[in-house]
Amino acid sequence: MTSFGISPAAADPTGQPDLITAGIEAADGSRIAEVEHIDGGGIRLQIYSAAMDKTFPVEIQRPADTSRPRPSLYLLNGLDAGESVASWQAQTDVRQFVSDKNVNLILPIGGKASYYTDWVKDDPKLGRNKWKTYLTEELPPLIDAALGTDGIRAIAGISTSGTSVLALPIAKPGLYRAAAAYSGCAQTSDPLGAYFVQTAVGMGGGDAKNMWGPLNSPEWVANDPYVHAEELRGLELYFSSGDGRQGEYDTIDGRKSQLDGIKTQIDGMNDQLGPMGLVNQIMVGGTIESATYYCTRNLEKKLASLDIPATFHYAPGTHSWGYWQNEFKESWPVLARGMGLAE
């Protein structure tokens, strides 16, 4: 078994996908337990997390050109954490979009309703959550060693992970050089932000008191990116939100044009292209997006007051995948700049 301290995997001078093998292990016991090659030239790793004593999948798409080390973009899912059909892979064309880019696309799976943070207690429903440790200490060095990356990283995420992609760079300064949050809410410790967090965790079956303790405990403030916005200085930043009004994907034809007959994030059913699916998207998704719009506007004012540059984009739309697919592409120049890539 390979341990850290040796040279990472070398880039393939032929430009072909390199062969990644299981067995790379970190000093803390985290390791790559299994490697599988999947459709479209992708790779699925099974990563054992020592902090959570559990194995989680990570899907990877390699750069267009693997002849030299490349940066990595970590792309996080929302409340379901990619465990259902509510995932970037199932609902969008992001893999196709980056297929000609020189970046390692890293798609962690797991961590439903966890906010990708370290919980203070194990949860009866959600179990042990040490996702901050996983995403800042365990996974990146394993990925770097396995893929022979250049050690440069960016991170992006939707909805609940729109909070996480700000909290993680704050928790581990220098780990990421760019961050993009789509339809997220940076606030966690003020009454409204805490309500959002409690509601989201509860929807996933968890108890937010097991995450950061009772309301007003120090962990709620410690994990609040809005409070600690100064620590985002130096990152390339992109933020977006719809305003809750109906947009281009909030019609039956609009949903069909983006979803192309596949499942949606609403409830995992096969047929969500009819009227009831649309009503859910407009009513539920519109309400949620109105809240993320409020949060994103607040963060825009906060960063402006701190003279921290960031790109913000707003448009009509609900809390749904068509808009996130668009916003990922809109944010690419910002992410690419942070990773030192040509747009």
Side-chain angles (χ1 to χ4, degrees), residues 194-265:
Y195 172 77
F196 293 158
V197 172
Q198 288 177 304
T199 300
V201 173
M203 288 174 62
D207 184 343
K209 291 193 296 294
N210 294 323
M211 184 166 72
W212 293 328
L215 287 177
N216 300 319
S217 66
E219 287 297 311
W220 285 82
V221 177
N223 287 281
D224 190 327
Y226 181 87
V227 171
H228 300 283
E230 171 61 37
E231 296 173 56
L232 296 171
R233 190 181 300 278
L235 292 170
E236 294 285 349
L237 297 168
Y238 182 96
F239 302 94
S240 68
S241 178
D243 59 13
R245 295 179 296 164
Q246 285 181 247
E248 63 177 307
Y249 297 116
D250 299 308
T251 66
I252 289 178
D253 287 343
R255 284 161 57 80
K256 286 181 179 178
S257 71
Q258 192 271 323
L259 294 167
D260 193 25
I262 60 177
K263 301 175 184 179
T264 77
Q265 79 276 22

Side-chain angles (χ1 to χ4, degrees), residues 61-62 64 73 75 88 92-103 105 182 324-336 339 341-343:
Q61 181 168 296
R62 296 291 274 131
L73 171 59
L75 191 54
W88 287 102
T92 74
D93 63 1
V94 297
R95 286 183 58 187
Q96 179 182 353
F97 176 76
V98 301
S99 63
D100 63 348
K101 311 288 192 294
N102 286 319
V103 65
L105 182 64
Y182 321 113
W324 298 329
Q325 177 174 278
N326 286 359
E327 290 302 331
F328 177 82
K329 296 173 184 178
E330 289 291 327
S331 70
W332 175 253
V334 175
L335 294 168
M339 293 184 288
L341 295 173
E343 296 180 15

Side-chain angles (χ1 to χ4, degrees), residues 131-148:
W131 289 93
K132 179 172 70 174
T133 297
Y134 179 75
L135 290 169
T136 62
E137 303 293 342
E138 295 182 327
L139 184 59
L142 289 171
I143 292 294
D144 291 346
L147 303 182

Side-chain angles (χ1 to χ4, degrees), residues 46-59:
Q46 297 293 335
I47 304 291
Y48 172 74
S49 165
M52 291 184 276
D53 192 23
K54 192 173 180 180
T55 299
F56 301 97
V58 176
E59 293 190 358

